[in-house]
Coordinates of all heavy atoms in Angstrom, one line a residue:
H659 N 5.7 -22.6 1.7 CA 6.7 -22.6 0.6 C 7.8 -21.6 1.0 O 9.0 -21.9 0.8 CB 6.1 -22.2 -0.7 CG 5.3 -23.3 -1.4 ND1 4.1 -23.1 -2.0 CD2 5.6 -24.6 -1.6 CE1 3.6 -24.3 -2.5 NE2 4.6 -25.2 -2.3
L660 N 7.4 -20.4 1.4 CA 8.4 -19.4 1.6 C 9.3 -19.6 2.8 O 10.5 -19.2 2.9 CB 7.7 -18.0 1.8 CG 6.9 -17.6 0.5 CD1 6.1 -16.3 0.8 CD2 7.9 -17.3 -0.6
E661 N 8.8 -20.3 3.8 CA 9.6 -20.7 4.9 C 10.7 -21.7 4.5 O 11.9 -21.6 4.9 CB 8.8 -21.3 6.1 CG 9.6 -21.7 7.3 CD 8.8 -22.3 8.4 OE1 8.0 -23.2 8.1 OE2 9.0 -22.0 9.6
A662 N 10.3 -22.7 3.6 CA 11.2 -23.7 3.1 C 12.3 -23.0 2.2 O 13.5 -23.4 2.2 CB 10.5 -24.7 2.3
L663 N 11.9 -21.9 1.6 CA 12.9 -21.2 0.7 C 13.7 -20.2 1.5 O 14.7 -19.6 0.9 CB 12.1 -20.5 -0.4 CG 11.5 -21.3 -1.5 CD1 10.5 -20.5 -2.3 CD2 12.5 -22.1 -2.3
G664 N 13.4 -20.0 2.7 CA 14.2 -19.0 3.5 C 13.8 -17.6 3.3 O 14.5 -16.7 3.8
V665 N 12.7 -17.3 2.7 CA 12.2 -16.0 2.5 C 11.6 -15.4 3.8 O 11.7 -14.2 4.1 CB 11.2 -15.9 1.3 CG1 10.6 -14.5 1.2 CG2 11.8 -16.4 0.0
I666 N 10.9 -16.3 4.6 CA 10.4 -15.9 5.9 C 11.0 -16.7 6.9 O 11.6 -17.8 6.6 CB 8.9 -15.9 5.9 CG1 8.4 -17.4 5.8 CG2 8.2 -15.1 4.8 CD1 7.0 -17.6 6.3
D667 N 10.9 -16.3 8.2 CA 11.5 -17.0 9.3 C 10.6 -17.8 10.2 O 11.1 -18.7 10.8 CB 12.2 -15.9 10.2 CG 13.2 -15.1 9.4 OD1 14.2 -15.6 8.9 OD2 13.0 -13.8 9.3
R668 N 9.3 -17.5 10.2 CA 8.4 -18.2 11.1 C 7.0 -18.1 10.6 O 6.6 -17.1 10.1 CB 8.6 -17.5 12.5 CG 7.6 -18.1 13.6 CD 8.0 -17.5 14.9 NE 7.1 -17.9 16.0 CZ 7.3 -17.6 17.3 NH1 8.3 -16.9 17.6 NH2 6.5 -18.1 18.2
I669 N 6.2 -19.2 10.8 CA 4.8 -19.2 10.5 C 4.0 -19.1 11.8 O 4.3 -19.9 12.7 CB 4.5 -20.5 9.7 CG1 5.2 -20.6 8.4 CG2 2.9 -20.6 9.5 CD1 5.0 -21.9 7.6
V670 N 3.1 -18.2 11.8 CA 2.2 -18.1 13.0 C 0.9 -18.8 12.8 O 0.2 -18.5 11.8 CB 1.9 -16.6 13.3 CG1 1.1 -16.4 14.6 CG2 3.2 -15.8 13.5
P671 N 0.6 -19.8 13.6 CA -0.6 -20.6 13.3 C -1.9 -19.8 13.4 O -1.9 -18.8 14.2 CB -0.6 -21.7 14.4 CG 0.8 -21.7 14.9 CD 1.4 -20.3 14.7
E672 N -2.9 -20.1 12.6 CA -4.2 -19.4 12.7 C -5.2 -20.4 13.3 O -5.0 -21.6 13.3 CB -4.6 -19.0 11.3 CG -3.8 -18.0 10.6 CD -4.3 -17.5 9.3 OE1 -5.6 -17.5 9.1 OE2 -3.6 -17.1 8.4
P673 N -6.3 -19.9 13.8 CA -7.4 -20.7 14.3 C -7.9 -21.6 13.2 O -7.7 -21.3 12.0 CB -8.5 -19.7 14.7 CG -7.8 -18.5 15.0 CD -6.6 -18.4 14.0
V674 N -8.5 -22.8 13.5 CA -9.0 -23.7 12.5 C -10.0 -22.9 11.6 O -10.9 -22.3 12.2 CB -9.6 -24.9 13.1 CG1 -10.3 -25.8 12.1 CG2 -8.6 -25.7 13.9
G675 N -9.9 -23.0 10.3 CA -10.8 -22.3 9.4 C -10.3 -20.9 9.1 O -11.1 -20.1 8.4
G676 N -9.2 -20.5 9.6 CA -8.6 -19.2 9.2 C -8.9 -18.1 10.2 O -9.7 -18.2 11.1
A677 N -8.1 -17.1 10.2 CA -8.1 -16.0 11.1 C -9.5 -15.3 11.2 O -9.8 -14.7 12.2 CB -7.0 -14.9 10.8
H678 N -10.2 -15.3 10.0 CA -11.5 -14.6 10.0 C -12.5 -15.3 10.9 O -13.5 -14.6 11.3 CB -12.0 -14.5 8.6 CG -12.1 -15.8 7.9 ND1 -11.0 -16.5 7.3 CD2 -13.2 -16.6 7.7 CE1 -11.5 -17.6 6.8 NE2 -12.8 -17.7 7.0
R679 N -12.3 -16.5 11.2 CA -13.3 -17.2 12.1 C -13.1 -16.9 13.6 O -14.0 -17.0 14.4 CB -13.2 -18.7 11.9 CG -13.9 -19.2 10.7 CD -14.1 -20.7 10.6 NE -15.1 -21.1 9.6 CZ -14.9 -21.1 8.3 NH1 -13.7 -20.7 7.8 NH2 -15.9 -21.4 7.5
N680 N -11.9 -16.5 13.9 CA -11.6 -16.1 15.3 C -10.5 -15.0 15.4 O -9.4 -15.3 15.7 CB -11.3 -17.3 16.2 CG -11.3 -17.0 17.7 OD1 -11.2 -15.9 18.1 ND2 -11.4 -18.1 18.5
P681 N -10.8 -13.8 15.0 CA -9.8 -12.7 14.9 C -9.1 -12.5 16.2 O -7.8 -12.3 16.2 CB -10.6 -11.5 14.5 CG -11.8 -12.0 13.8 CD -12.2 -13.3 14.5

Side-chain angles (χ1 to χ4, degrees):
H659 281 135
L660 295 172
E661 184 183 43
L663 291 169
V665 176
I666 66 163
D667 304 297
R668 178 173 177 175
I669 298 174
V670 181
E672 295 186 29
V674 174
H678 58 279
R679 281 189 162 80
N680 193 339

